[in-house]
Every structure is written in C-alpha cells, then in structure tokens.
Amino acid sequence: MGKKIITIARQTGSGGHEIGERVAEKLNIPFHDRNIIDKALEELKLDKDEATDVDENVLGRFIDAFYNGYQRTYGMDNPYYMAEFGGTINAQTHKIQRQYIKELAEHGPCVIVGRSADYILRNRDDVLSVFICADVNDRIKRMMRVREMNEERAAHTVKTTDKNRRTYYEYYTEKKWGAPENYDIVLNVSRLGLDKVVEIIAGLYEG
C-alpha cells in the first residue's frame, strides 16, 4: 500500500509548518496543524486565547503524571477518580486530539504537523513519518524573521518550545523526540534547503 498520510514533527524554527503547507499544496491534499488543537478546545468549550498551547504546557505534564499515577493504582473507572479528577485539561485535550487525528487519517490523504501524529498512527502501513530539523542559528534567524522577534527572544523561544515539545512527545509516547529510529526520514533544512525538503517529501509520497 502506498503512503497517503504524511506526519511532520519538527524543531522550533526549522520551517516544519511551512514545509507541511507547501507539501500539501504540491500534492493537493488537506493540511492539518493548529486546527487539531482548535478542535479539542472547541469540544472542551475552552477559550482559544486563554488556552494557547495547552497541549504543550510543561506544567500540565507534571500534573498529568499525578492523575495517571492515581489511575494506574485505582483504575480509570474508579468513581473517585472520575468524580474528583476526571483528568486534566491537558489529558482531555490529548485524548480528543488523538481521536481526531485517527479520524483525519481514515478520511483520506493529508499532511499532519505535530501532535505526536507519527506515534498515534504508528500501526498504519500508509504513513510517511518525517522529522524536520535545522541548525540552531538558522532556527533563531528564522524565528526573528517570521515572528518579528529580537535575537534574545527568538533564542529563548526556540529553546523553551523545543523543550515543551520534547516533554509532550516523550510523556505521551515513551519514545525519544527527534530520535531517527522513530521516523521514516529525518531531514535537515540547513543542509538541504527548504525547497529540496519539500521536493523530497512529495517525491517519497508519490513514489
């Protein structure tokens, strides 16, 4: 069976979002990124401005660890767990996102950026999982240009957002974020250039 779903994990500032958009446009298939978390926030009736990046909030990881420890001890169906805790916003958000990503994959060909989609869809044989990386200085420069940040702010954003993504991915998957063995291919934008990366991904999909 050929590949019909492309998942893209990425380092902050590597251009992963733009690459995903351009690949989807080139292949004429749907593109999904922020709309996945928006879907979860909508179902949870949370305000988007107040819940920005709730799925990658580091504090939530430690809070979730407490709930999951309780769940393992007493069971998810334990009435006390359900009544008193019911899972954190992060846990609920992840659950909705996970289900939505599976539905998107069932619906047809598409590009999905982030949200641990490569792991969520790991049991499908029609998924091309990609990790996008770049040299840190290039990533900082891109953040300065795209987000209109000064160098200090851009460097801080690259560092903290990567940390959040790593924590989120490793917490929910128990796999190492960015490890080559977890993806079909790892592409370095600094070495290849953004245009070439788009061409490679599209070629693998069509091949």
Side-chain angles (χ1 to χ4, degrees):
M1 181 183 293
K3 306 297 186 184
K4 74 171 187 177
I5 311 297
I6 299 173
T7 65
I8 297 179
R10 73 286 186 221
Q11 290 181 321
T12 307
S14 63
H17 178 90
E18 181 182 345
I19 289 168
E21 281 189 315
R22 289 179 55 179
V23 168
E25 183 178 1
K26 186 178 182 67
L27 297 173
N28 194 30
I29 59 178
F31 172 74
H32 303 287
D33 188 352
R34 177 70 198 186
N35 62 302
I36 295 174
I37 180 63
D38 287 345
K39 169 75 171 179
L41 297 178
E42 180 183 344
E43 289 199 25
L44 291 172
K45 296 181 172 56
L46 295 175
D47 183 85
K48 294 179 182 179
D49 293 329
E50 294 177 352
T52 301
D53 292 332
V54 66
D55 61 325
E56 292 182 341
N57 182 281
V58 175
L59 178 59
R61 307 285 73 76
F62 294 99
I63 297 173
D64 281 346
F66 169 78
Y67 289 120
N68 285 346
Y70 192 96
Q71 175 186 328
R72 284 192 294 270
T73 302
Y74 297 101
M76 180 176 285
D77 295 330
N78 181 279
Y80 183 72
Y81 173 84
M82 298 302 291
E84 294 298 321
F85 300 111
T88 64
I89 290 176
N90 295 84
Q92 294 176 63
T93 302
H94 178 74
K95 181 179 179 181
I96 293 170
Q97 287 185 109
R98 184 173 66 243
Q99 182 58 39
Y100 188 42
I101 286 170
K102 289 180 178 180
E103 290 174 3
L104 292 173
E106 284 296 322
H107 187 70
C110 62
V111 176
I112 303 174
V113 174
R115 323 302 167 192
S116 304
D118 60 284
Y119 182 80
I120 292 169
L121 302 177
R122 66 191 182 282
N123 293 324
R124 297 180 63 102
D125 59 5
D126 58 351
V127 175
L128 173 66
S129 61
V130 182
F131 188 85
I132 304 296
C133 64
D135 296 347
V136 66
N137 289 335
D138 290 341
R139 294 193 283 130
I140 291 172
K141 289 176 182 177
R142 180 180 176 83
M143 293 297 287
M144 291 172 65
R145 183 177 71 254
V146 175
R147 300 284 184 88
E148 299 183 347
M149 296 176 171
N150 61 36
E151 185 173 0
E152 182 180 1
R153 177 72 182 281
H156 176 75
T157 300
V158 165
K159 181 179 179 179
T160 57
T161 305
D162 271 358
K163 181 180 179 181
N164 289 354
R165 287 176 179 171
R166 181 180 298 106
T167 303
Y168 177 82
Y169 185 88
E170 295 182 358
Y171 176 79
Y172 282 113
T173 70
E174 297 185 343
K175 300 288 185 180
K176 187 175 181 181
W177 181 73
E181 61 268 24
N182 292 331
Y183 309 90
D184 293 319
I185 188 169
V186 176
L187 298 170
N188 188 323
V189 177
S190 295
R191 301 282 185 90
L192 298 167
L194 197 143
D195 291 342
K196 185 62 176 180
V197 167
V198 170
E199 181 183 327
I200 290 171
I201 296 173
L204 288 171
Y205 178 92
E206 294 177 321

